Amino acid sequence: TDADGDSFSLDFTGKITVNVENDLPTIGFNEKLATGGVQEDALGNELADDAADDIDSSTGNIDSADDSDSVTLNLSELLDTTPGADEPASVDYSIKGLETPVKSDYTSNGQEVWYYEEGGKLVARSGDGGNAAGTVVFTFAVDASTGVATFNLDDQLDHFGNEDDDELLAIDDLGSYVEAKITDADDDTISLDF
């Protein structure tokens, strides 16, 4: 507006920009490990093994009332997560990487053990060259929302020690097939393999 009252207005449309950088959630491992144990002794001994409510393909010799062919592991305890500014964030867990069967490093009764994804869980089946209908050796399932994983032994795994009832066989590759994914409120996603 000038001194004699003439006015003219101008619109700043398209002339002002403020860039807001996104904030992503974070997910990473802490120092904890998930370990557990099962005993072949518990196979086929459903009455003595309260944790097992399945049908096993082998029958073991129970050593102790504590013998079990099933164990649970809480994978969420292995993670450190932060939602960032776009809270809340959720963490989801899934079995991945088994679009095609994968040969493991283990054998059962002399047969190769292969990993399959069936109904959202890892199913290990015996059969040289892979056999989708082979005997179930064990299953590994992860609850999608809580991260609680259940390992259930259903048949024998070959051990190579002689006459040692306490010999341990470490199945240490299961983390390769588990993914944790954090998703924030505006759908930013970060994934992590165990």
Side-chain angles (χ1 to χ4, degrees), residues 45-65:
N45 291 290
E46 305 310 311
L47 296 178
D49 179 12
D50 294 337
D53 59 358
D54 60 341
I55 298 174
D56 297 325
S57 298
S58 295
T59 301
N61 297 317
I62 287 283
D63 288 337
S64 144

Side-chain angles (χ1 to χ4, degrees), residues 9 18 27 36 40 49 59 62 69 96 117 139 141 152 175 179:
S9 62
V18 175
I27 187 169
E40 284 185 338
D49 179 12
T59 301
I62 287 283
D69 65 7
K96 58 95 185 173
E117 187 275 322
T139 60
N152 186 23
E179 178 180 76

Side-chain angles (χ1 to χ4, degrees), residues 14-93:
K15 295 293 185 180
I16 300 172
T17 301
V18 175
N19 293 311
V20 179
E21 184 179 65
N22 193 18
D23 185 31
L24 296 177
T26 65
I27 187 169
F29 291 114
N30 56 40
E31 298 300 317
K32 296 179 183 177
L33 299 173
T35 59
V38 297
Q39 295 78 32
E40 284 185 338
D41 307 288
L43 287 170
N45 291 290
E46 305 310 311
L47 296 178
D49 179 12
D50 294 337
D53 59 358
D54 60 341
I55 298 174
D56 297 325
S57 298
S58 295
T59 301
N61 297 317
I62 287 283
D63 288 337
S64 144
D66 295 331
D67 286 349
S68 177
D69 65 7
S70 182
V71 66
T72 59
L73 308 166
N74 190 343
L75 304 184
S76 69
E77 293 177 351
L78 308 181
L79 300 177
D80 287 329
T81 61
T82 56
D86 297 320
E87 55 187 328
S90 62
V91 179
D92 298 303
Y93 302 84

Side-chain angles (χ1 to χ4, degrees), residues 113-126:
V113 173
W114 286 70
Y115 293 164
Y116 299 83
E117 187 275 322
E118 297 176 16
K121 64 183 169 182
L122 183 153
V123 177
R125 294 183 176 273
S126 63

Side-chain angles (χ1 to χ4, degrees), residues 156-178:
Q156 63 185 293
L157 280 163
D158 296 337
H159 293 70
F160 298 102
N162 293 323
E163 301 175 16
D164 184 358
D165 189 47
D166 294 324
E167 180 188 356
L168 300 177
L169 175 67
I171 299 176
D172 57 7
D173 61 349
L174 298 175
S176 301
Y177 306 102
V178 178

